[in-house]
Every structure is written in C-alpha cells, then in structure tokens.
Amino acid sequence: MTDVVDSGELLRRIQRARAFAAQEAHSWSEQGDPVREVAYEAVLRVLDEIVAPGRHAEK
C-alpha cells in the first residue's frame, strides 16, 4: 500500500468507514447480537474522535 492520498480522500474514507460501522451496529442490534453491536459502536466512537477530536466526550 504505497498510494499517497490527500487529506480530503482520507476524510472520505473515514466517513465511508463510519457509515458502514453505523449500518452494521444497527443491523446487529436488530439481529439481537449485543457483542457485535457494541464492537461496531466502539468503532464509531473511535472514528468520530478522529474526525472531531474532543467533541465526543465520555458520557
């Protein structure tokens, strides 16, 4: 993986990953799998913190 990407492309990739994680969290919630749901919610929190540091303080 030697491709160089600019910050705009990196942000788009993170946003796509975040949208996928949100979709998966919702899907696993509906299927009744709390372990996978929590895992994808954790990924969402990490990606949110990357995009907007400090804005998502612990609840």
Side-chain angles (χ1 to χ4, degrees), residues 2-13:
T2 59
D3 295 339
V4 177
V5 296
D6 64 3
S7 61
E9 177 62 19
L10 182 58
L11 181 59
R12 285 188 291 279
R13 290 180 185 188

Side-chain angles (χ1 to χ4, degrees), residues 19-47:
F20 177 79
Q23 179 183 4
E24 288 295 306
H26 179 72
S27 175
W28 288 113
S29 172
E30 287 182 340
Q31 293 180 31
D33 189 336
V35 174
R36 288 190 173 135
E37 177 187 2
V38 169
Y40 278 104
E41 288 173 352
V43 170
L44 282 171
R45 286 192 301 273
V46 169
L47 294 173

